[in-house]
Amino acid sequence: MNNMQIIRGFRDILPENIKLWQKVEKEAKELFEDFGFDEIRLPVLEKTEVFARSIGEATDIVEKEMYTFPDRKGDKLTLRPEATASMVRAYVQHKMYASDPVRKFYTIGPMFRRERPQKGRYRQFYQIDAEIFGVESAYVDANLIFLLNELFSRLGLSDLKAHINSLGCPDCRPDFQKALLNLLESKKEELCPDCIRRKESNPLRTLDCKVPQCKEALKEAPTTLDFLCKECHGHFETVKRVLKQQNVEFIEDKTLVRGLDYYTRTAFEIQTTSLGAQSAVAGGGRYDLLVKEMGGPDIPAIGFAIGFDRLVEVMEALEKSADKQLLDLFIIALGDAATEKGYYWSTDLNLKGIRCEIDYRGKSLKALMKRADKLGAKYVLIAGEKEIKENALILRNMNTREQISISADNPVADIVGAFKKNN
Ligand code: ATP
Ligand code: MG
């Protein structure tokens, strides 16, 4: 057992895999900014209460997945398993609703859940999270789903489908729950031990059970859609109408219930067919009661979280690649004087946006040419003692093998010029 190894379920995202992450992040940020969202950065550690209260005591996340520990003074702290709770905590704590309740935020960062690690499921994973506070209208529900759809299409992903459902509100949910409880009672012999427990603590979660026997027993279970009140029904109809109008494909999925307690009305998931079992790439929904429950005023809200790791995995499965950034220029400086000059040239070039490297190890021209090749350099600048003495450095285009001679007095300007001409 090697203690200098990474923790199970955690992983390093290595430079050779980072390009897709950067591409997704760039597209997401551009889109969010265009749609009027502001970035917010939140801590990864919060008081346990922040998550237990919001996500719900009887959810899988709070019951079995959180990293919770006492700090040195005994306060109970938790590594955030998701971002919405912290987002609401911050919105309330800073009274961000005071000047105008309508606020739109996004945040990107790591989340922690102690689940069984497997492909698409990690103990530290990343989410891209967006939330809209202060709007009850169904237009923003449609807008968020539209936004997700647009992001995925900009990333070239077409096998993703939005599944949407409505979970109702405190007016219509009790009737639904009564009907569901009746059914659970009548089928209790067939349910798994988890569902027997959920029957008491969190009946809605039984509809999301993955055990085949439970699925079979609950095939005919009542759904929230059958019980929607007039307002919730109208809200859901508007969401669907607007999505159709904007050509966003979706599936009305009455079995979609989501794993967190705070959702009301619209709930949605974006699912893929290319990842096998871990099919949800993003999930979200409306949580109109949560701001108040966490000590704020009665302000509605809605949001989503994209599973960043899974999104990248879908892109990898579809062989979407981001351009690998190659080296623009490799400086071959031979001898101490040339190396000193080469160092200043290289920093000047870096400042001018040219990705350039120099090797300080005093290797031979042949070895350095080999390294330039390996690094995929577009150009090589050769500055040997002879070139410096004759004031004629060699700039070689590695693709065309064309060589030009440039003065050693101000090679930076000439190199920038050559780049402007050829790229
Ligand atoms: P799942 O049903 O796959 O467990 P979830 O409902 O628990 O997902 P959410 O809380 O809705 O997930 O989080 C939003 C997204 O974050 C998910 O759709 C998924 O893409 C991603 N996600 C959740 N848990 C993990 C994890 N352990 N590792 C990697 N990605 C995850
Ligand atoms: Mg989960």
Side-chain angles (χ1 to χ4, degrees):
M1 185 49 187
N2 184 345
N3 276 332
M4 291 303 126
Q5 299 251 317
I6 200 163
I7 307 167
R8 183 166 135 86
F10 286 59
R11 57 194 190 132
D12 300 314
I13 297 159
L14 300 173
E16 52 261 43
N17 303 120
I18 208 73
K19 285 292 162 196
L20 279 176
W21 289 79
Q22 291 177 335
K23 179 179 163 146
V24 170
E25 195 161 321
K26 184 166 166 281
E27 291 286 355
K29 283 186 170 174
E30 269 173 30
L31 195 63
F32 287 142
E33 298 284 341
D34 288 348
F35 274 66
F37 288 77
D38 295 315
E39 184 174 1
I40 182 168
R41 298 193 187 189
L42 303 161
V44 296
L45 201 59
E46 299 263 9
K47 292 186 182 148
T48 302
E49 190 68 12
V50 169
F51 304 113
R53 275 270 292 283
S54 57
I55 297 168
E57 296 280 2
T59 57
D60 283 355
I61 297 180
V62 174
E63 272 183 348
K64 12 182 219 209
E65 297 174 0
M66 294 200 312
Y67 281 96
T68 296
F69 53 89
D71 80 352
R72 286 173 188 270
K73 289 213 170 120
D75 293 332
K76 243 174 116 186
L77 304 179
T78 294
L79 278 169
R80 64 175 180 192
E82 57 115 40
T84 306
S86 307
M87 198 81 102
V88 176
R89 198 255 321 125
Y91 180 76
V92 172
Q93 179 167 350
H94 303 289
K95 296 196 172 53
M96 292 200 261
Y97 46 80
S99 59
D100 184 350
V102 182
R103 299 298 295 267
K104 299 162 83 169
F105 302 120
Y106 72 91
T107 195
I108 301 176
M111 308 294 154
F112 305 85
R113 296 185 196 177
R114 202 175 187 292
E115 311 190 65
R116 195 171 71 80
Q118 52 198 288
K119 189 155 177 61
R121 200 175 283 291
Y122 308 101
R123 290 179 172 180
Q124 173 173 333
F125 60 102
Y126 294 78
Q127 285 186 342
I128 302 173
D129 189 273
E131 318 278 342
I132 299 179
F133 290 93
V135 190
E136 204 190 348
S137 165
Y139 285 108
V140 304
D141 306 40
N143 194 233
L144 274 185
I145 298 167
F146 177 85
L147 187 74
L148 273 173
N149 193 64
E150 175 63 20
L151 176 62
F152 294 141
S153 99
R154 287 188 189 185
L155 294 171
L157 302 174
S158 52
D159 82 315
L160 300 174
K161 260 268 160 56
H163 289 238
I164 68 173
N165 191 15
S166 176
L167 302 179
C169 70
D171 281 344
C172 44
R173 227 184 260 170
D175 286 340
F176 157 73
Q177 285 201 321
K178 216 180 289 159
L180 178 60
L181 279 175
N182 282 340
L183 180 85
L184 292 176
E185 195 51 44
S186 72
K187 299 270 181 182
K188 69 177 173 217
E189 259 74 76
E190 298 156 52
L191 301 177
C192 74
D194 273 342
C195 280
I196 297 287
R197 203 166 40 80
R198 290 181 186 127
K199 185 163 86 66
E200 308 306 325
S201 60
N202 195 351
L204 190 64
R205 301 289 309 144
T206 57
L207 298 180
D208 194 33
C209 184
K210 306 282 186 298
V211 176
Q213 214 185 325
C214 293
K215 275 193 162 161
E216 180 60 30
L218 300 175
K219 221 167 49 194
E220 312 274 282
T223 68
T224 48
L225 284 187
D226 304 328
F227 287 85
L228 293 187
C229 63
K230 202 162 143 271
E231 287 71 25
C232 287
H233 180 77
H235 188 99
F236 194 47
E237 290 302 311
T238 305
V239 176
K240 290 189 290 182
R241 181 173 55 72
V242 175
L243 288 176
K244 276 192 194 132
Q245 184 68 28
Q246 292 191 298
N247 294 320
V248 176
E249 279 185 55
F250 63 86
I251 294 169
E252 183 176 309
D253 182 350
K254 54 189 186 183
T255 64
L256 181 83
V257 294
R258 313 273 306 122
L260 306 88
D261 278 357
Y262 50 62
Y263 288 114
T264 49
R265 291 193 165 167
T266 316
F268 53 93
E269 248 173 34
I270 311 292
Q271 298 185 3
T272 170
T273 47
S274 53
L275 283 187
Q278 310 325 327
S279 61
V281 177
R286 192 163 263 291
Y287 49 94
D288 288 343
L289 309 173
L290 188 58
V291 174
K292 187 158 184 212
E293 264 165 37
M294 291 186 71
D298 193 359
I299 292 178
I302 179 167
F304 66 68
I306 299 171
F308 203 156
D309 310 65
R310 281 187 209 173
L311 180 56
V312 168
E313 275 162 24
V314 175
M315 295 176 75
E316 281 165 354
L318 299 176
E319 291 179 1
K320 301 278 173 211
S321 60
D323 290 341
K324 191 168 170 236
Q325 176 146 30
L326 299 176
L327 197 59
D328 291 325
L329 177 76
F330 188 71
I331 298 179
I332 296 183
L334 304 169
D336 291 345
T339 301
E340 168 108 3
K341 285 198 159 92
Y343 167 74
Y344 299 122
W345 298 334
S346 75
T347 31
D348 281 354
L349 285 163
N350 290 147
L351 290 174
K352 297 221 179 308
I354 289 178
R355 195 167 156 118
C356 143
E357 284 292 335
I358 175 169
D359 194 302
Y360 302 107
R361 291 172 298 180
K363 296 204 167 193
S364 71
L365 176 63
K366 193 168 157 219
L368 291 172
M369 281 305 281
K370 238 188 178 161
R371 181 156 185 240
D373 231 11
K374 207 164 97 190
L375 295 175
K378 292 184 206 151
Y379 285 87
V380 168
L381 180 72
I382 302 171
E385 269 157 38
K386 176 168 159 278
E387 284 80 15
I388 301 258
K389 204 164 78 207
E390 293 174 3
N391 196 14
L393 309 181
I394 297 166
L395 183 65
R396 180 183 168 90
N397 182 325
M398 296 294 275
N399 293 323
T400 63
R401 303 194 176 169
E402 197 188 325
Q403 297 196 161
I404 57 170
S405 160
I406 60 177
S407 148
D409 298 335
N410 187 11
V412 170
D414 288 338
I415 291 166
V416 171
F419 265 87
K420 277 215 183 105
K421 212 169 82 201
N422 293 324
N423 293 287

CSV table of all heavy atoms in Angstrom, one decimal, residues 60-61 65 113 115 121 205 259 310, ligand 2:
chain,number,residue,atom,x,y,z
A,60,ASP,N,-30.2,10.4,-0.4
A,60,ASP,CA,-28.9,9.6,-0.5
A,60,ASP,C,-27.7,10.5,-0.2
A,60,ASP,O,-26.8,10.1,0.5
A,60,ASP,CB,-28.8,9.0,-1.9
A,60,ASP,CG,-29.7,7.8,-2.1
A,60,ASP,OD1,-30.3,7.4,-1.1
A,60,ASP,OD2,-29.7,7.3,-3.2
A,61,ILE,N,-27.8,11.7,-0.8
A,61,ILE,CA,-26.6,12.6,-0.6
A,61,ILE,C,-26.3,12.8,0.9
A,61,ILE,O,-25.2,12.6,1.4
A,61,ILE,CB,-26.8,14.0,-1.3
A,61,ILE,CG1,-26.9,13.7,-2.8
A,61,ILE,CG2,-25.7,14.9,-1.0
A,61,ILE,CD1,-27.1,15.0,-3.6
A,65,GLU,N,-23.6,10.1,1.4
A,65,GLU,CA,-22.6,10.5,0.5
A,65,GLU,C,-21.7,11.7,0.9
A,65,GLU,O,-20.7,12.0,0.3
A,65,GLU,CB,-23.2,10.8,-0.9
A,65,GLU,CG,-23.9,9.6,-1.5
A,65,GLU,CD,-24.6,10.0,-2.8
A,65,GLU,OE1,-24.6,11.1,-3.2
A,65,GLU,OE2,-25.2,9.0,-3.4
A,113,ARG,N,-18.7,13.8,-3.2
A,113,ARG,CA,-19.7,12.8,-2.7
A,113,ARG,C,-19.0,11.5,-2.6
A,113,ARG,O,-18.3,11.0,-3.5
A,113,ARG,CB,-20.8,12.7,-3.7
A,113,ARG,CG,-21.6,14.0,-3.9
A,113,ARG,CD,-22.8,13.7,-4.8
A,113,ARG,NE,-23.4,15.0,-5.2
A,113,ARG,CZ,-24.4,15.2,-6.1
A,113,ARG,NH1,-25.0,14.1,-6.5
A,113,ARG,NH2,-24.8,16.4,-6.4
A,115,GLU,N,-19.4,8.3,-3.1
A,115,GLU,CA,-20.1,7.3,-3.7
A,115,GLU,C,-19.2,6.2,-4.2
A,115,GLU,O,-18.0,6.3,-4.1
A,115,GLU,CB,-20.8,7.8,-5.0
A,115,GLU,CG,-21.6,9.1,-4.8
A,115,GLU,CD,-22.4,9.4,-6.0
A,115,GLU,OE1,-23.3,8.6,-6.3
A,115,GLU,OE2,-22.1,10.5,-6.6
A,121,ARG,N,-18.4,8.5,-12.3
A,121,ARG,CA,-18.8,8.7,-10.9
A,121,ARG,C,-17.6,8.8,-10.1
A,121,ARG,O,-16.9,7.8,-9.9
A,121,ARG,CB,-19.8,7.6,-10.5
A,121,ARG,CG,-20.6,7.9,-9.3
A,121,ARG,CD,-21.6,6.8,-8.9
A,121,ARG,NE,-22.8,6.8,-9.8
A,121,ARG,CZ,-23.7,7.7,-9.8
A,121,ARG,NH1,-23.7,8.7,-9.0
A,121,ARG,NH2,-24.7,7.6,-10.6
A,205,ARG,N,-38.8,9.4,-3.5
A,205,ARG,CA,-37.5,8.8,-3.9
A,205,ARG,C,-37.7,7.3,-4.4
A,205,ARG,O,-36.9,6.8,-5.1
A,205,ARG,CB,-36.5,8.8,-2.8
A,205,ARG,CG,-36.1,10.2,-2.3
A,205,ARG,CD,-35.3,11.0,-3.3
A,205,ARG,NE,-34.2,10.2,-3.8
A,205,ARG,CZ,-33.8,10.3,-5.0
A,205,ARG,NH1,-34.4,11.0,-5.9
A,205,ARG,NH2,-32.7,9.6,-5.4
A,259,GLY,N,-32.8,13.7,-7.1
A,259,GLY,CA,-32.3,13.2,-5.8
A,259,GLY,C,-32.3,14.2,-4.6
A,259,GLY,O,-31.7,13.9,-3.6
A,310,ARG,N,-18.5,14.2,-16.6
A,310,ARG,CA,-19.3,13.3,-17.6
A,310,ARG,C,-19.4,14.0,-18.9
A,310,ARG,O,-19.4,13.3,-20.0
A,310,ARG,CB,-20.7,13.1,-17.0
A,310,ARG,CG,-20.7,12.0,-16.0
A,310,ARG,CD,-22.1,11.6,-15.6
A,310,ARG,NE,-22.0,11.1,-14.2
A,310,ARG,CZ,-23.1,10.8,-13.5
A,310,ARG,NH1,-24.3,11.0,-14.0
A,310,ARG,NH2,-22.9,10.4,-12.3
B,2,MG,MG,-26.3,10.7,-7.3
